[in-house]
């Protein structure tokens, strides 16, 4: 998962009907900060003020979205803290190869709450996540992995994946190779990046 | 900081007088697990049982040592949780280039407690860490950085560094490029790796 406050249109206001307002962004930041606090994860005031709120351009943040802090992103590795509200979904995407780089490899480690993670592979018969209504065509990866606090899973490069928090939400640490959101490919063509 | 349970002689017993006994290792694991619990960092039972206890072959764990869990270490990135007992010191070392790799780059993020980190650069006049007695010759990096919870610092490759916890100890997340402890170079030639 990669974000960019400009390309994912986080803070500018009123550009079109789908755009998050400043008030919506601020409210989501407040809520994410409270969840981090509840998970005993300490952040600086600067990190608190800069929490990224990504609605992927769909204008339905509660359903499809993600809140996050990028701790570090060098040309070699990256670490982020992700916050998902209850049942909030990070939509399906993959990190393709770029030149000599095989694509971003990433590890999700659940710190608090519950995460339903889906990757390519053997499909589960009765998935526990609820695909956002009307978006079914854009969720194809259906091999299910449940992550509880302390549990983690590594996604190989160029592998379709998506995830949704359980009923209480989730806090997830992401460890990865360098992060370049410009290269992410989403299954849903409506996603603005 | 890299460890290896074999080369740093963690679990084998009685090989020589300096070797940690199984009881010492178990006790340090207990203590580290309690500190992680206190910091609200959740680990799996397997991670709990496998906490690495590194005394760097010096046989004075309370003074020079480190407890850690490697969450993930791929050929691209690595993430660890480090625990330092009160005033426990990770001795000075650097991560040199290896072939086309410029050497390990790493970010320390303090999660709990206090860390005094020293890197090459402008020396501090009155350092707040206490260099382990009799080891003064092996601590040369003297540019001081204090890390409190939520604060972090990135160490470039091939840069001498060492760190010591404050009076309460510390829990530190390490994010880095791939970790290869075989390549670490310690200033103290007595350190067995």
């Amino acid at each position: 998962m990669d974000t960019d406050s400009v390309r994912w249109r986080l803070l500018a206001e009123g550009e079109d009907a789908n755009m998050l307002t400043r008030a919506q962004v601020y409210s989501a930041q407040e809520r994410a900060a409270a969840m981090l606090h509840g998970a005993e994860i300490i952040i600086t005031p600067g990190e608190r003020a800069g929490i990224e709120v990504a609605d992927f351009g769909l204008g339905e943040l509660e359903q499809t979205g993600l809140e996050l802090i990028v701790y570090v992103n060098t040309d070699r590795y990256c670490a982020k803290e992700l916050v998902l509200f209850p049942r909030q979904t990070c939509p399906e995407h993959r990190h393709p190869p770029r030149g000599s780089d095989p694509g971003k490899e990433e590890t999700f480690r659940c710190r608090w709450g519950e995460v339903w993670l889906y990757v390519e592979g053997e499909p589960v018969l009765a998935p526990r996540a609820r695909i956002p209504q009307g978006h079914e065509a854009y969720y194809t990866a259906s091999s299910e992995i449940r992550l509880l606090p302390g549990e983690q899973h590594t996604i190989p490069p160029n592998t379709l994946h998506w995830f949704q928090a359980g009923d209480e939400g989730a806090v997830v640490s992401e460890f990865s190779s360098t992060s370049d959101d410009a290269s992410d490919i989403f299954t849903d063509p409506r996603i603005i990046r």
Side-chain angles (χ1 to χ4, degrees), chain A:
Chain A
M1 240 331 299
D2 286 304
T3 60
D4 179 282
S5 56
V6 175
R7 271 176 293 116
W8 286 5
R9 309 180 317 160
L10 308 180
L11 290 166
E13 196 169 6
E15 190 178 287
D16 67 34
N18 269 353
M19 185 73 82
L20 290 174
T21 64
R22 279 186 195 280
Q24 285 173 313
V25 169
Y26 185 79
S27 163
Q29 288 179 323
E30 283 274 295
R31 200 171 159 196
M35 286 179 67
L36 289 168
H37 183 76
E40 304 280 348
I41 290 173
I42 298 173
I43 57 175
T44 63
E47 289 170 336
R48 164 69 185 77
I51 292 175
E52 293 184 36
V53 178
D55 76 343
F56 302 93
L58 298 183
E60 44 179 45
L61 180 68
E62 289 292 316
Q63 186 169 276
T64 308
L66 188 65
E67 295 69 41
L68 71 153
I69 296 169
V70 180
Y71 289 147
V72 59
N73 186 21
T74 78
D75 58 0
R76 304 175 70 188
Y77 60 90
C78 179
K80 305 178 181 178
E81 215 77 75
L82 314 180
V83 178
L84 292 150
F85 300 146
R87 292 290 166 184
Q88 198 179 33
T89 301
C90 175
E92 184 174 288
H93 64 286
R94 61 187 170 89
H95 309 287
R98 296 169 292 146
S100 64
D101 183 313
K104 186 187 180 205
E105 178 186 30
E106 61 194 6
T107 301
F108 296 117
R109 183 179 177 89
C110 181
R111 299 288 197 168
W112 183 90
E114 179 186 40
V115 179
W116 297 101
L117 171 64
Y118 297 85
V119 298
E120 298 177 40
E122 191 63 37
V124 67
L125 286 178
R128 296 292 296 274
R130 303 164 200 155
I131 292 178
Q133 258 196 329
H135 300 202
E136 291 78 4
Y138 310 125
Y139 290 83
T140 66
S142 52
S143 180
E144 183 178 83
I145 297 146
R146 183 193 191 194
L147 297 178
L148 292 174
E151 296 176 336
Q152 63 183 39
H153 186 81
T154 296
I155 314 277
N158 208 22
T159 302
L160 285 170
H161 60 284
W162 61 280
F163 48 98
Q164 181 177 97
D167 290 336
E168 308 295 321
V171 176
V172 178
S173 292
E174 179 188 303
F175 314 125
S176 73
S177 58
T178 187
S179 184
D180 172 26
D181 41 344
S183 69
D184 288 355
I185 295 174
F186 285 82
T187 306
D188 184 345
R190 299 168 307 165
I191 289 179
I192 296 167
R193 305 185 49 255

